Structure formats: structure tokens, C-alpha cells
Amino acid sequence: ADKIFLEKAMEISNLIYSFHKTGSDDFIKKLCQENNFSAIKIKEFDFPIKKTLKFHKKETYFVKVDLWKMEKLKKA
């Protein structure tokens, strides 16, 4: 799902800010390279996800995510 979202964003925009689970560096960098975009990891932080289903045990669960800035490269 991330790939479909980012490829569409790259079609319609020259600048993208996007959150992705920490550890997705290789995926993000490869996808950007294939689509003529640069990729800069801006910050890592804990993203809160609220309890929404009965089987969830914690009221809030934190997932480590990275904020990425992706920018279309200018043609030489």
C-alpha cells in the first residue's frame, strides 16, 4: 500500500512528506531512486495508535516511525 500511495504522490507532486515505519529506509530510497526523487529522513519518533479493537490490550500503542521528505530531482 505504501508503494501505490508514494508512486501516485510522485506523479502529481514535486515534494512529499510521509511517515513510514522505522526500518523502511531501503524501500524508501530505492523507490525514490527509481522515480527520480531524493529522500531525506528528517526525524524518528514514536507514533501513538489508540486502542480501537477489543483484542487490543493497551489504551495506546506506540510505533517507531520516520518522517521522510522526498523531492523530485531537477533535470540537468
Side-chain angles (χ1 to χ4, degrees):
D2 285 351
K3 184 176 181 186
I4 294 167
F5 168 79
L6 288 173
E7 286 176 337
K8 188 59 171 178
M10 290 172 178
E11 282 180 30
I12 62 175
S13 181
N14 293 328
L15 181 62
I16 303 160
Y17 288 91
S18 189
F19 296 113
H20 297 275
K21 191 171 180 182
T22 298
S24 300
D25 298 38
D26 291 342
F27 163 74
I28 298 294
K29 290 176 183 177
K30 182 180 179 196
L31 186 64
C32 284
Q33 183 180 15
E34 291 171 350
N35 288 279
N36 198 37
F37 272 73
S38 64
I40 299 169
K41 189 187 323 183
I42 296 174
K43 184 177 180 176
E44 178 183 317
F45 61 96
D46 293 326
F47 186 83
I49 299 176
K50 301 276 185 191
K51 179 179 179 179
T52 56
L53 301 171
K54 289 181 182 181
F55 63 84
H56 290 163
K57 294 182 173 51
K58 297 180 181 179
E59 286 300 316
T60 305
Y61 178 75
F62 291 91
V63 177
K64 292 222 176 278
V65 298
D66 298 324
L67 172 60
W68 288 87
K69 176 183 178 183
M70 295 164 246
E71 190 168 13
K72 187 166 192 114
L73 297 170
K74 296 182 180 9
K75 294 184 180 181

